[in-house]
Amino acid sequence: MNNELFTLRVNGIDYEVSDSWLGESLLDVLRDRIGLMGSKGACTQGECGSCSVMVDDVLVCSCLVMGASAIDQNIITIEGVAPVGTPSDVQQAFVDAGAVQCGFCTPGLVMAVHDLLKRRGRPTETEIREELAGNVCRCTGYGRIVDAVERVSVQRRGNSQEESS
Amino acid sequence: MTVAVPTTLDEAVRLFAAEPSAMLLAGGTDAMVEINDGHRRPGGLVIALNRVSDLRTWRHDAERRTLTIGAGVTYSELMQEPIATLAPALADASRTVGSPQIRNAGTLGGNLGTCSPAGDGLPVLSALGAQVRIVSAAGERAASVDDVMVGVKRTSLKPGEMIAEIVLPVLDGWQGYAKVGVRNAMVIAIASACLVVDTDARQLSIALGSVGPTIVRCPEAERQLAAAVDWAALSVPSDALDEFVGLVSSASRPITDHRSTADYRRHAVGVLAKRLARRAFTAGERRS
Ligand SMILES: Cc1cc2nc3c(=O)[nH]c(=O)nc-3n(C[C@H](O)[C@H](O)[C@H](O)COP(=O)(O)OP(=O)(O)OC[C@H]3O[C@@H](n4cnc5c(N)ncnc54)[C@H](O)[C@@H]3O)c2cc1C
């Protein structure tokens, strides 16, 4: 049962993790052991959301997940959202709306927005702000982030109307 | 150090019995903060509970009118139907916890395991008179939630014991939870209150958070308000409400710390109690 060595499935790829301290967070394992630098570490207390990832389809702060406990789970990080060069609709909307400034919070926010729009197709501004309460941005003042979410929401509804007509 | 990821409760209990000093890890939203900060450094066994399916389920017994919630059920799950209708105050409290990320990971069992006086689930469990089912290799026992919470971040759980389930009554009557903090989301309570009305029994209970070392019950205020309520009309005279607020505030035992002062907490908890009582009962004429 001693798992000095363990395997994590990240973005569909199995990574063998060795030489880690078993108590370290999934965030540290992703960044320092596996080398996926997209998830950011700032507060390491679950306050800032910059380390947000999906574990078995659930949005969590990777800093609050013990890395070695996430075996046999499906971990999706920002690197797994879309291939480099072909941004997801949310990523593109962030660019178009000017929702990226320094960029540090962006990976976590993109994860959170994908999750939000999966659960609520047509969020109100208040809902968007409440749902993103776990993602801190110190640059934008959030207005453009809200704008980006609304753009995607409108765009997706337009697309699904086209499909159904 | 070893991390075990059991999938059944039996397996988890067996692991814990073999190493009672092991650390239990549920959603990690309290435990990992301490580990990341270096305040806690597990050296031996860590038992991760988030894959134990017995702990992650809940069931409604319509005949006995109980709702049994596994220790590993998350706030996000508690906010959903039908739990939100069966235990509205618990759903209310869950909505106020942290952010989606925290509510997705944080569990009711972890809230009780941490036993912070600011734990948002705890006033609800206390006001509902929840029973806690505790398991260990020696078997299982039940305890009232008020007996499990013994001090600031201290429970009466013995080594090798874990919280399996929490049993709540399903009641007819209004119930709700309210908290104040420095902002509207992602905030630890400066003061909180849960009011539960049992219209069949013509009783009510109120439990307060963040105004004492553990959750504070207010038996005097409960008796006073229950006696003043017109149970047919579900109304209460407004001067009885004022008296209720006074009794609630004086039952609180707040301290001054970096989050707030004792005076503000005592005042705020009274305001919360009044708001909750107003939602539960229409405030009528003053008594002559
Ligand atoms: C950013 C942030 C915001 C937060 N906001 C709030 C908030 O608004 N309100 C609030 O109440 N809390 C809040 N919390 C605290 C935390 O989310 C809750 O207390 C949560 O319920 C803890 O549950 P968990 O499953 O994550 O517990 P863990 O961290 O896994 O465990 C907590 C403790 O309980 C023990 N434990 C876990 N399961 C069991 C069990 N089955 N039997 C016995 N012991 C057990 C563990 O050993 C540990 O000591 C916040 C935390 C963070 C990081």
Side-chain angles (χ1 to χ4, degrees):
Chain A
M1 184 74 67
N2 202 319
N3 39 7
E4 296 284 295
L5 196 104
F6 60 97
T7 304
L8 293 186
R9 190 168 188 81
V10 186
N11 304 325
I13 299 168
D14 285 342
Y15 292 91
E16 213 164 74
V17 182
S18 54
D19 302 328
S20 75
W21 176 57
L22 289 181
E24 73 191 28
S25 67
L26 175 60
L27 173 66
D28 286 345
V29 173
L30 289 170
R31 290 180 57 88
D32 301 343
R33 314 290 170 190
I34 294 176
L36 292 169
M37 298 295 190
S39 309
K40 304 302 178 201
C43 74
T44 67
Q45 302 189 347
E47 296 274 350
C48 77
S50 61
C51 67
S52 299
V53 301
M54 302 297 287
V55 176
D56 280 350
D57 271 334
V58 177
L59 181 77
V60 293
C61 290
S62 60
C63 74
L64 299 182
V65 175
M66 193 176 280
S69 78
I71 54 168
D72 304 323
Q73 290 188 296
N74 236 329
I75 300 157
I76 305 290
T77 68
I78 186 69
E79 289 89 346
V81 165
V84 175
T86 52
S88 72
D89 54 358
V90 172
Q91 288 170 318
Q92 189 58 52
F94 266 60
V95 174
D96 296 341
V100 181
Q101 285 189 29
C102 90
F104 193 87
C105 68
T106 310
L109 266 163
V110 168
M111 298 306 290
V113 171
H114 272 289
D115 180 59
L116 155 63
L117 289 170
K118 207 170 59 191
R119 286 178 294 113
R120 291 176 190 269
R122 199 175 187 150
T124 63
E125 183 184 336
T126 307
E127 282 169 348
I128 296 170
R129 288 181 184 271
E130 273 185 357
E131 291 281 337
L132 299 181
N135 293 80
V136 173
C137 170
R138 296 280 91 136
C139 303
T140 62
Y142 301 100
R144 287 162 187 239
I145 293 169
V146 173
D147 189 26
V149 179
E150 282 169 346
R151 283 177 191 229
V152 182
S153 161
V154 169
Q155 204 179 312
R156 286 192 187 175
R157 268 179 279 139
N159 289 348
S160 63
Q161 262 163 23
E162 264 167 45
E163 274 161 33
S164 58
S165 61
Chain B
M1 179 184 171
T2 307
V3 180
V5 189
T7 53
T8 66
L9 188 55
D10 283 349
E11 200 185 340
V13 168
R14 227 179 313 116
L15 285 162
F16 206 15
E19 198 171 328
S21 63
M23 177 184 159
L24 298 179
L25 181 71
T29 60
D30 280 319
M32 283 303 290
V33 171
E34 292 187 351
I35 293 173
N36 291 340
D37 282 351
H39 294 317
R40 194 159 170 179
R41 200 171 165 89
L45 175 67
V46 171
I47 306 172
L49 299 176
N50 65 339
R51 244 73 67 72
V52 176
S53 50
D54 320 58
L55 297 180
R56 301 218 48 173
T57 55
W58 58 270
R59 59 186 185 278
H60 173 212
D61 185 331
E63 219 152 278
R64 292 211 176 112
R65 311 205 62 199
T66 56
L67 177 65
T68 302
I69 296 166
V73 173
T74 64
Y75 296 107
S76 297
E77 289 160 344
L78 294 173
M79 286 158 57
Q80 284 164 24
E81 294 296 351
I83 298 183
T85 300
L86 296 169
L90 191 57
D92 267 8
S94 300
R95 280 185 208 105
T96 76
V97 173
S99 60
Q101 287 91 331
I102 301 301
R103 295 192 291 270
N104 283 344
T107 66
L108 194 56
N111 209 219
L112 184 54
T114 295
C115 201
S116 157
D120 283 309
L122 306 181
V124 179
L125 298 187
S126 177
L128 284 168
Q131 288 287 310
V132 184
R133 203 163 73 80
I134 298 161
V135 295
S136 69
E140 72 174 72
R141 67 180 177 103
S144 83
V145 72
D146 290 335
D147 290 337
V148 173
M149 303 185 288
V150 294
V152 178
K153 302 206 170 171
R154 268 181 41 233
T155 67
S156 58
L157 294 180
K158 296 192 263 302
E161 285 192 331
M162 71 175 84
I163 304 160
E165 296 179 326
I166 294 163
V167 187
L168 308 174
V170 176
L171 300 173
D172 275 331
W174 191 90
Q175 49 179 262
Y177 177 78
K179 98 187 200 192
V180 275
V182 291
R183 52 181 183 235
N184 281 337
M186 271 302 255
V187 72
I188 293 182
I190 284 173
S192 68
C194 175
L195 178 70
V196 170
V197 179
D198 181 347
T199 45
D200 292 339
R202 300 195 163 191
Q203 280 173 357
L204 54 89
S205 50
I206 181 151
L208 317 177
S210 291
V211 291
T214 61
I215 303 309
V216 174
R217 284 290 292 270
C218 318
E220 218 184 315
E222 292 171 357
R223 277 194 298 272
Q224 173 269 337
L225 190 63
V229 168
D230 175 342
W231 287 96
L234 288 177
S235 70
V236 68
S238 57
D239 54 341
L241 262 188
D242 294 336
E243 198 185 325
F244 175 67
V245 169
L247 290 171
V248 167
S249 286
S250 58
S252 68
R253 293 280 170 271
I255 56 162
T256 296
D257 64 8
H258 63 290
R259 286 210 183 84
S260 190
T261 64
D263 280 348
Y264 179 76
R265 287 189 157 111
R266 195 175 296 113
H267 171 74
V269 84
V271 172
L272 291 176
K274 188 169 191 169
R275 276 187 203 156
L276 291 170
R278 276 227 172 101
R279 286 177 209 157
F281 306 108
T282 47
E285 296 283 292
R286 294 193 151 262
R287 287 177 294 197
S288 50

